[in-house]
């Protein structure tokens, strides 16, 4: 059998393989050596110093003074005394409270003392004699190794290497007796403040540290509110201390214009700047929960400036209606931007009617949202967002009414803002404050007053604006989508210019939507007869007004983008004529029963119907026969029988039907509405009741039915507010 021919290629020459292996090995060795060298270099300085400094210094002093006994003795004494002084200096400057700092203090002092002692002996013995050479080799190696060990442990402990109370804050910690507090990582933010981490030793608390913020502020010569200590929410032993060393806002904050006209209510509102230069945003409708706002501050603290900033932005939004109650200085504060306020209320009676009408509006809005399948208001709803700002709420409403509104308004898209100087229990009840979950606190006269507005966690941290009116616009704010780490940081609201804000509001006229029909209808006659009517896109001439305002702003260098195309201007529809009273299907009168419960009787008695009746009859000429038998008759008395002596007969009128009787009362109420009167008491309907040939029980039943139908609202004192005329469509 023939042998198979070998066709495999020949092997590569052996020298080539060996060369490749050697080259690869050399590269690995170089890489390893380079890595080892880079890791070792940080640890070489102690060894270099131990190897070079002692022999060089020992040889120098020996050559200079070692030849003569006198010079050697004096030099040794001088070096020894200098060593003692240098060791003491190192010990003093290395003072500290942490374990790491105390260890470094001992190590540095021992190194200096040993080095100076060896150098003292080297004056006469020289550096290379016995035992100086042995002490140098052994001692130098020992101290170099100890410093390397400290370096290794320091790097392994991570952030713990920074826990020494170093720098100004470290010295301050000792000055104010923070014996159980460790200050670490103190550094400037570059924005006017210094921050440092703090940690308390076992037995200490962050709360105890917070109680010393006044002492820290005094020691650093900064305002009391310039030192803030906030606890770490995940570690009760740790916190953050922030010291404001420069005021970046002292020259004021310019008003920040909206990014565009016609934004949704959910867009954040820029109202100023924080102490670190970041924008102070409010995001009430964009937050997870709509939180009502409590604004507090003394006169001159900047509440009005803050309000104007908020109003001006809200007045440029679509699907939003702004209602403002200010009985003291409404026009003075917001008169220049009143065109963007749907309803500005300055009359006490109108303010009370508004507050009484709100529960009906809340219910109506809730029904609409339920029909739309929404648990709470969103921009997808057909309803406008509503902002209700009430100045000095205690002068407008009782606590029970306001508490009900605050509790129920949140989910239906009504943002309630209560502004006042001091939110004490006499001005706002604790139940109302519990429902005002957001706060903006400006200057107060007493530190304790801030606790009426700000959460305890904020005031405990030292965020107390106890500067009165000396720093207008400065304050602290919580809630409304503000991150919690910003609650304790000072902020300042924007400065506003009346002419600029007026032009801004006019420019946004085509974007402002009128109040939705459901809310307007629920507010009833109170809204229909409001004394102030802001302008919106339905106002004739809205486009022309906006054009002039935009041109004026453009001449001032201010321009805007459009968030949405401006809606077309809609003509205002003519008012509908009152509809006639609809025919009643049931002939029976549900109010014929004269029986009343005890509460109704008491209410009617308090209203003193007799006095009202006499007042009505006061305009009628006196009875020509004051001594006649009929002179004693009252409203509820039946007509007397025929007088047999005189032959006089009283004509009995035809009975008045139930429908006609109600129409008499409805006509009286409708007349009040047309004349602008929206409050009355049952006694005011006495003449109409007499004309309808009915009694008090029937009237009370009719009033109850009108309340249930949403035509009237009864307050706690037996009087009524007219929401809708019974002769006009709702």
């Amino acid at each position: 059998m023939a042998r198979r021919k070998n066709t495999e290629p020949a092997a590569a020459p052996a020298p080539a393989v060996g060369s490749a292996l050697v080259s690869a090995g050399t590269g690995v060795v170089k890489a390893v050596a380079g890595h080892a060298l880079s890791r070792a270099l940080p640890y070489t300085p102690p060894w270099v110093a131990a190897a070079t400094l002692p022999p060089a210094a020992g040889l120098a002093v020996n050559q200079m003074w070692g030849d003569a006994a006198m010079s050697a003795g004096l030099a040794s004494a001088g070096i020894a005394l200098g060593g003692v002084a240098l060791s003491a200096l190192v010990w003093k400057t290395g003072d500290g409270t942490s374990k790491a700092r105390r260890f470094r203090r001992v190590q540095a002092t021992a190194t200096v003392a040993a080095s100076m002692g060896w150098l003292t002996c080297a004056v006469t013995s020289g550096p290379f004699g016995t035992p100086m050479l042995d002490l140098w080799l052994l001692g130098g190696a020992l101290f170099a190794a100890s410093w390397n060990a400290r370096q290794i442990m320091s790097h392994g402990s991570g952030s713990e290497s920074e826990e020494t109370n170093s720098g100004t804050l470290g010295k301050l910690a000792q000055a104010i007796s923070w014996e159980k507090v460790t200050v670490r990582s103190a550094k400037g933010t570059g924005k006017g403040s210094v921050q440092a981490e703090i940690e308390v030793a076992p037995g200490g608390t962050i709360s105890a540290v917070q109680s010393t913020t006044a002492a820290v502020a005094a020691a650093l010569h900064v305002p009391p509110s310039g030192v803030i200590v906030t606890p770490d929410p995940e570690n009760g032993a740790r916190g953050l201390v922030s010291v404001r060393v420069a005021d970046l806002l002292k020259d004021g904050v310019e008003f920040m214009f909206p990014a565009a006209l016609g934004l949704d209510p959910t867009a954040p509102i820029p109202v100023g700047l924080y102490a670190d230069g970041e924008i102070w945003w409010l995001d009430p409708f964009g937050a997870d929960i709509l939180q009502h706002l409590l604004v507090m501050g003394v006169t001159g603290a900047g509440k009005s400036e803050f309000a104007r900033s908020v109003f001006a932005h809200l007045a440029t939004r679509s699907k939003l209606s702004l209602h403002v109650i200010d009985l003291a200085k409404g026009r003075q504060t917001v008169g220049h931007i009143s065109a963007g306020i749907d309803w500005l209320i300055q009359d006490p009676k109108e303010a009370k009617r508004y507050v009484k009408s709100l529960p009906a509006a809340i219910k109506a809005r809730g029904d609409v949202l339920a029909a739309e399948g929404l648990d709470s208001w969103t921009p997808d709803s057909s309803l406008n967002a509503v902002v209700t700002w009430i100045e000095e709420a205690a002068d407008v409403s009782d606590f029970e009414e306001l508490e009900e509104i605050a509790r129920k308004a949140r989910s239906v898209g009504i943002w309630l803002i209560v502004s006042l100087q001091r939110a004490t229990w006499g001005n706002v009840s604790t139940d109302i404050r519990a429902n005002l979950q957001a706060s903006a606190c400006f200057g107060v006269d007493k530190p304790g007053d801030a606790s009426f507005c700000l959460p305890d966690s904020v005031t405990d941290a030292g965020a107390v604006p106890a500067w009165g009116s000396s720093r207008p616009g400065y304050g602290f704010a919580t809630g409304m989508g503000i991150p919690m780490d910003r609650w304790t940081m000072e902020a300042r609201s924007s400065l506003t210019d009346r002419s600029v804000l007026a032009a801004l509001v006019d420019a946004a006229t085509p974007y402002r939507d009128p109040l939705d029909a459901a809310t307007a209808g629920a507010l009833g006659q109170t809204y229909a007869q409001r004394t102030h009517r802001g302008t919106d896109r339905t106002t004739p001439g809205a486009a022309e007004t906006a054009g002039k305002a935009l041109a004026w702003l453009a001449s001032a260098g201010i321009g805007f983008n459009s968030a949405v195309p401006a809606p077309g201007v809609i003509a205002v529809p003519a008012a509908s004529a009152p509809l006639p009273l609809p025919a009643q299907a049931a002939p029976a009168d549900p109010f014929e029963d004269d029986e009343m419960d005890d509460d109704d009787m008491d209410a009617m008695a308090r209203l003193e119907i007799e006095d009202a009746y006499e007042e009505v009859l006061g305009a009628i000429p006196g009875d020509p026969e004051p001594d006649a038998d009929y002179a004693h008759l009252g409203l509820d008395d039946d007509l007397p029988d025929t007088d047999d002596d005189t032959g006089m007969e009283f004509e009995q009128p035809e009975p008045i039907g139930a429908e006609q009787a109600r129409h008499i009362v409805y006509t009286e109420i409708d007349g009040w509405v047309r004349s602008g009167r929206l409050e009355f008491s049952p006694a005011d309907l006495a003449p109409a009741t007499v004309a309808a040939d009915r009694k008090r029980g029937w009237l009370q039943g009719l009033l109850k039915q009108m309340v249930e139908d949403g035509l009237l609202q009864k307050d706690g004192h037996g009087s009524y507010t007219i929401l809708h005329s019974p002769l006009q469509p709702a």
Side-chain angles (χ1 to χ4, degrees), residues 304 308 311 324-338 341 344-347 391 498 532:
S304 296
R308 283 191 286 267
F311 294 164
V324 178
I325 300 177
D326 190 346
L327 306 182
K329 51 178 184 177
R331 288 285 172 184
Q332 178 183 353
T333 301
V334 296
H336 55 294
I337 57 173
S338 60
I341 300 175
L344 175 60
I345 302 174
Q346 296 181 266
D347 178 67
E391 284 285 341
R498 289 178 174 267
H532 168 87

Side-chain angles (χ1 to χ4, degrees), residues 258-622:
L261 301 178
L263 295 172
D264 284 338
T266 53
I269 308 168
V271 293
L273 294 177
Y274 285 103
D276 62 358
E278 297 294 327
I279 296 178
W280 176 13
W281 295 98
L282 304 185
D283 193 12
F285 291 102
D288 295 335
I289 298 176
L290 177 61
Q291 295 177 317
H292 300 316
L293 172 63
L294 174 61
V295 180
M296 197 180 84
V298 300
T299 300
K303 300 193 305 298
S304 296
E305 200 79 53
F306 172 74
R308 283 191 286 267
S309 292
V310 175
F311 294 164
H313 277 276
L314 295 178
T316 66
R317 306 289 173 92
S318 61
K319 296 198 69 174
L320 187 144
S321 298
L322 181 57
H323 298 163
V324 178
I325 300 177
D326 190 346
L327 306 182
K329 51 178 184 177
R331 288 285 172 184
Q332 178 183 353
T333 301
V334 296
H336 55 294
I337 57 173
S338 60
I341 300 175
D342 181 49
W343 193 354
L344 175 60
I345 302 174
Q346 296 181 266
D347 178 67
K349 291 184 178 180
E350 187 177 9
K352 292 180 183 295
R353 288 198 297 265
Y354 175 80
V355 174
K356 290 177 182 179
S357 302
L358 273 179
I362 292 172
K363 182 180 183 303
R365 290 171 66 88
D367 293 340
V368 172
L369 292 174
E372 294 175 343
L374 299 173
D375 293 330
S376 59
W377 181 89
T378 71
D380 296 330
S381 172
S382 62
L383 302 174
N384 279 17
V386 176
V387 178
T388 296
W389 184 294
I390 305 178
E391 284 285 341
E392 300 298 337
D395 298 336
V396 175
S397 171
D398 60 42
F399 292 163
E400 185 176 351
E401 285 180 326
L402 202 58
E403 191 275 330
E404 179 185 2
I405 293 169
R407 179 164 40 87
K408 297 180 179 179
R410 181 181 298 109
S411 62
V412 299
I414 297 179
W415 185 29
L416 177 64
I417 305 172
V418 175
S419 175
L420 68 173
Q421 294 189 28
R422 293 181 74 237
T424 60
W425 64 270
N427 294 327
V428 177
S429 70
T430 54
D431 290 336
I432 296 175
R433 285 208 303 265
N435 284 283
L436 302 175
Q437 297 177 320
S439 59
C441 188
F442 297 92
V444 296
D445 285 331
K446 300 178 181 179
D449 290 348
S451 62
F452 294 130
C453 182
L454 297 170
D456 292 342
S457 60
V458 175
T459 55
D460 290 345
V464 178
W467 49 71
S469 59
S470 62
R471 303 177 70 204
Y474 286 85
F476 298 93
T478 68
M480 300 172 289
I482 300 174
M484 291 189 66
D485 61 352
R486 294 269 153 182
W487 290 12
T488 55
M489 181 172 290
E490 278 185 13
R492 188 175 187 182
S493 61
S494 303
L495 298 174
T496 59
D497 181 271
R498 289 178 174 267
S499 57
V500 172
L501 291 193
L504 172 63
V505 170
D506 286 343
T509 304
Y511 298 90
R512 283 194 297 273
D513 293 308
L515 183 63
D516 57 272
T519 305
L523 292 172
Q525 295 298 326
T526 307
Y527 183 75
Q529 297 186 4
R530 64 194 187 278
T531 54
H532 168 87
R533 299 166 185 261
T535 61
D536 54 50
R537 61 182 176 83
T538 66
T539 305
E544 182 180 357
T545 300
K548 292 180 180 179
L550 285 171
W552 188 91
L553 290 171
S555 66
I558 303 169
F560 300 95
N561 297 320
S562 294
V564 293
V569 179
I570 302 174
V572 180
S576 302
L579 296 179
L581 179 69
Q584 299 294 324
D589 190 344
F591 310 117
E592 287 292 352
D593 186 4
D594 289 346
E595 295 296 328
M596 294 190 298
D597 55 31
D598 293 339
D599 292 339
D600 292 335
M601 289 293 292
D602 292 340
M604 297 297 287
R606 287 196 303 270
L607 296 173
E608 300 179 349
I609 293 181
E610 290 78 5
D611 293 341
Y613 183 64
E614 292 176 1
E615 181 181 350
V616 172
L617 296 182
I620 302 176

